């Protein structure tokens, strides 16, 4: 970080987003630019309909992402494979060797949006995990049990105990990212775990606790999975993100759904935070008096864990208030309208993204 006139301007190595949902079709065209405006690279989630389970599907999806961006945009989508009960280890290995995908995503079947084709028993995919362990391919986990007898606010903590701890014992060399952690239990587990275990933290879980979903009525725009937890957990996440510990890094889990899908009798989980993601993290880090740790969290810990080069470009944030709009209306090339509510809608954030200078 270089900050000659700190604290009014902050220049950071350009960050990456280690967990994002870019969707497809009109939604992809509406949202891809927001991520590409801030981040050099992003780990793109494979939970499309149908999910990205083959090298061919990932190659085609990567092409659609690039086509959704303006010509010459340097943004690099990093693709992932969606693990199913039947995915072949050879297919996973081939996509990694051909540099089509960089990691596999494990959704317990039924845990979240478009996860029906996910994994029904983790032991059943042992051959795939063994190959990944051997070739150094990271496993990204949505860490919630799907047992309906487990309270929704306990599903992450129970997953750690029932599934994650035994998994790490079975595969001690596997690189594992516990995605979008929401509890003090996850923070403690990751912090005290081996160096091949890390976690991503979203901006929304740094800002809201579970009360946000019920403030004065039902607030679907604060509903995501894993759901936000009690205040003590939010504080533990803030402490972890701002600690400088390289096991914790940025992953927005930006997950757009159109207004109709959010405001429904069975609304979708997901918070669309991409347009003001780095501003949101900067606000949280400033509140924790840890702005000097933002660059490590946003731009260094992730690539080091994945074994990828650090970005050479930079972004500059200015301490200028930025008003987040209540709604974002986008049209795709065919004129299809997409209506979205961004995270922090109607709020003013203290840091504004001023410039992005792509690297070489
Ligand atoms: O809130 C979420 N939205 N959590 C997930 O795990 C999936 C995501 C989505 O795809 O909408
Ligand atoms: Zn996600």
């Amino acid at each position: 970080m270089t900050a000659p006139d700190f604290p009014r301007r902050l220049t950071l190595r350009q960050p990456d987003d280690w967990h994002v949902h870019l969707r497809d079709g009109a939604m992809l065209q509406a949202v891809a630019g927001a991520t590409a405006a801030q981040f050099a690279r992003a780990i793109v989630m494979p939970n499309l309909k149908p999910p990205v389970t083959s090298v061919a599907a990932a190659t085609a999806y990567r092409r659609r992402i690039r086509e959704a961006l303006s010509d010459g945009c340097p943004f690099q989508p990093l693709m992932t494979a969606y693990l199913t009960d039947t995915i072949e280890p050879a297919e996973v290995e081939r996509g990694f060797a051909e540099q089509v995908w960089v990691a596999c995503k494990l959704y317990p079947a039924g845990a979240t949006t478009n996860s029906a084709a996910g994994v029904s028993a983790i032991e059943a995919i042992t051959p795939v995990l063994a190959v990944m362990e051997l070739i150094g391919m990271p496993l990204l986990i949505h860490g919630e049990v799907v047992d309906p007898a487990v309270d929704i606010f306990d599903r992450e903590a129970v997953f750690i105990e029932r599934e994650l701890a035994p998994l790490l014992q079975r595969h001690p060399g596997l690189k594992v990212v516990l995605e979008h952690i929401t509890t003090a239990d996850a923070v403690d587990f990751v912090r005290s775990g081996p160096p091949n275990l890390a976690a991503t933290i979203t901006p929304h879980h740094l800002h809201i606790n579970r009360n946000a979903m019920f403030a004065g009525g039902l607030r679907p725009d604060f509903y995501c999975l894993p759901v936000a937890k009690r205040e003590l957990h939010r504080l533990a996440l803030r402490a972890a993100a701002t600690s400088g510990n390289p096991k914790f890094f940025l992953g927005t889990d930006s997950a757009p759904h159109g207004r109709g899908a959010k405001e429904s009798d069975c609304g979708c989980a997901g918070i669309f935070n991409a347009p003001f993601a780095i501003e949101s993290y900067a606000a949280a880090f400033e509140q924790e008096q840890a702005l000097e740790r933002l660059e490590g969290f946003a731009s260094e810990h992730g690539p080091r864990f994945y074994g990828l080069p650090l970005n050479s470009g930079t972004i500059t944030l200015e301490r200028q208030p930025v008003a987040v709009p209540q709604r974002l209306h986008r049209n795709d090339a065919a004129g299809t309208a997409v209506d979205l509510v961004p995270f922090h809608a109607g709020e003013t954030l203290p840091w504004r993204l001023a410039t992005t200078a792509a690297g070489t």
Side-chain angles (χ1 to χ4, degrees):
M1 184 176 73
T2 50
D5 48 350
F6 183 85
R8 303 219 66 83
R9 281 173 79 81
L10 202 55
T11 295
L12 311 175
R13 187 186 292 284
Q14 191 173 11
D16 304 299
D17 184 351
W18 299 96
H19 181 131
V20 71
H21 298 267
L22 293 181
R23 311 300 194 206
D24 214 343
M27 186 65 89
L28 169 64
Q29 292 189 31
V31 304
T35 293
Q38 303 209 332
F39 300 104
R41 298 169 288 198
I43 288 276
V44 181
M45 287 297 118
N47 62 334
L48 302 182
K49 285 187 211 167
V52 179
T53 55
S54 68
V55 180
T59 305
Y61 184 32
R62 184 169 61 182
R63 188 176 335 108
R64 295 197 295 283
I65 294 168
R66 290 197 173 126
E67 284 167 4
L69 295 166
S70 50
D71 284 347
C73 174
F75 174 75
Q76 221 189 318
L78 303 174
M79 310 310 289
T80 55
Y82 181 114
L83 294 178
T84 65
D85 288 346
T86 54
I87 195 166
E88 289 293 334
E91 183 76 355
V92 168
E93 189 172 8
R94 184 169 70 86
F96 189 68
E98 292 178 5
Q99 300 186 345
V100 173
W101 47 40
V102 303
C104 288
K105 178 67 190 254
L106 192 166
Y107 289 105
T112 186
T113 311
N114 297 341
S115 65
V119 173
S120 51
I122 299 179
E123 293 90 328
I125 59 159
T126 294
V128 176
L129 300 180
V131 164
M132 292 170 63
E133 188 175 2
L134 202 65
I135 63 179
M137 183 178 189
L139 175 69
L140 318 182
I141 302 184
H142 183 109
E144 288 191 285
V145 291
V146 292
D147 180 350
V150 176
D151 189 280
I152 189 163
F153 294 102
D154 296 332
R155 287 181 189 171
E156 181 174 281
V158 173
F159 181 90
I160 291 169
E161 193 189 308
R162 277 194 201 165
E163 305 284 355
L164 183 55
L167 170 76
L168 292 169
Q169 293 213 325
R170 292 195 299 276
H171 302 279
L174 185 62
K175 276 191 191 181
V176 172
V177 184
L178 186 56
E179 300 280 47
H180 41 55
I181 58 171
T182 61
T183 57
D185 312 64
V187 167
D188 291 344
F189 187 79
V190 170
R191 195 194 287 120
S192 59
N196 52 311
L197 174 66
T200 54
I201 302 179
T202 75
H204 40 282
H205 290 110
L206 295 177
H207 283 282
I208 61 165
N209 63 31
R210 63 190 192 175
N211 291 339
M213 285 182 290
F214 309 106
L218 265 187
R219 305 283 188 160
D221 296 315
F222 295 121
Y223 172 54
C224 63
L225 286 171
V227 282
K229 308 294 192 300
R230 287 178 183 275
E231 179 65 358
L232 74 93
H233 296 291
R234 184 182 75 96
L235 297 178
L237 295 169
R238 282 193 163 215
T242 60
S243 66
N245 186 329
K247 285 166 150 283
F248 300 103
F249 46 85
L250 185 158
T252 64
D253 198 15
S254 181
H257 293 279
R259 286 182 60 70
K262 291 294 288 178
E263 297 172 13
S264 131
D265 61 342
C266 188
C268 293
I271 293 180
F272 177 50
N273 58 34
F276 297 91
I278 197 67
E279 294 90 332
S280 179
Y281 283 113
F285 273 66
E286 180 176 67
Q287 285 159 4
E288 298 302 315
Q289 298 176 354
L291 275 173
E292 74 284 2
R293 303 246 169 93
L294 180 60
E295 185 174 47
F297 175 80
S299 317
E300 295 173 354
H301 302 166
R304 287 197 180 119
F305 185 84
Y306 275 81
L308 293 170
L310 302 186
N311 295 319
S312 56
T314 58
I315 60 166
T316 297
L317 296 162
E318 270 176 7
R319 204 172 188 301
Q320 286 276 337
V322 58
V324 178
Q326 295 281 4
R327 302 271 182 277
L328 292 170
H329 307 279
R330 300 275 154 83
N331 288 304
D332 74 355
T336 308
V338 177
D339 198 9
L340 295 160
V341 176
F343 184 50
H344 294 296
E347 291 175 40
T348 299
L349 296 171
W351 288 87
R352 186 177 78 85
L353 177 58
T355 56
T356 302
T360 45

